[in-house]
Amino acid sequence: MYVAVSDLDGKPGPDVVVWERTAKNVSVFLNRGDGVLLGKKDLPGGTAPQTGIAIDANLDGIVDLVTGNEATNAIYLHVGKGDGTFEAPKSIGQSVYSRHMIGRDVNLDGIPDLIVANYVATGSVSILLGDGTGNFPKVLNYPTGRATTGVATGFANGDGKLDIFACNSISNNLSVLLSTSE
């Protein structure tokens, strides 16, 4: 299970999203405004929604939900409507048994991109470059250690460029992908 906290409805108090692999859905809990979460609203998450994030993928100022589905190897976008509801999911890319994802502006163009940890025998990280419309047309894949389970970003070598760190469970190590962006 993965969880995200974000403002999904424009009302006071943070709302909560939970990606539940075994329940096969994405659950949204809206905040009443006083810290009490209202009953959950389930969104279709596919066969096995393993991971997800809340991010403004189409730059309209409204939070959207991105889901990585490990059974279908698909990544889905639920476009937010700003009132705590979402459009039906659309496929925006492929991953390989996605286990974890984060949103960052990897190529420094002001548009959020996705970084996905792919849990496969060989291990890899996929970067899906966003175009600001909710689509991620360019995918870059980088090998890591075996069975990549998590990703994070930071500045590994002090050059001011965002680098990617990937933890690998079977090879029991950490991969560092140094940025080559200008």
Side-chain angles (χ1 to χ4, degrees):
M1 292 175 55
Y2 277 83
V3 64
V5 177
S6 189
D7 181 7
L8 305 176
D9 61 3
K11 296 179 182 174
D15 306 305
V16 178
V17 182
V18 178
W19 286 264
E20 302 176 80
R21 181 182 182 275
T22 54
K24 300 180 181 179
N25 58 27
V26 178
S27 299
V28 174
F29 299 86
L30 298 179
N31 192 320
R32 193 170 68 183
D34 58 1
V36 174
L37 298 177
L38 302 174
K40 73 176 182 169
K41 297 178 184 176
D42 290 334
L43 305 174
T47 309
Q50 176 68 29
T51 185
I53 58 171
I55 188 172
D56 183 6
N58 58 3
L59 302 178
D60 64 355
I62 298 171
V63 175
D64 309 304
L65 303 178
V66 180
T67 299
N69 192 296
E70 74 176 15
T72 61
N73 292 329
I75 298 175
Y76 297 101
L77 174 68
H78 291 84
V79 174
K81 295 181 180 179
D83 60 359
T85 63
F86 297 84
E87 293 179 11
K90 70 173 187 173
S91 178
I92 58 170
Q94 293 293 118
S95 67
V96 184
Y97 206 58
S98 59
R99 276 295 173 97
H100 182 236
M101 79 172 62
I102 56 176
R104 300 288 188 274
D105 183 6
V106 176
N107 57 353
L108 307 176
D109 63 357
I111 299 170
D113 307 306
L114 304 176
I115 304 170
V116 182
N118 297 310
Y119 184 88
V120 292
T122 55
S124 67
V125 168
S126 296
I127 299 173
L128 290 79
L129 298 175
D131 66 4
T133 66
N135 294 305
F136 297 81
K138 186 171 183 180
V139 179
L140 307 170
N141 293 300
Y142 298 94
T144 57
R146 294 184 61 210
T148 306
T149 55
V151 288
T153 57
F155 302 100
N157 58 358
D159 67 358
K161 297 177 184 176
L162 196 61
D163 304 308
I164 299 172
F165 301 82
C167 57
N168 310 298
S169 65
I170 292 178
S171 56
N172 196 29
N173 63 8
L174 178 70
S175 299
V176 180
L177 305 172
L178 297 176
S179 175
T180 59
S181 66
E182 293 301 320

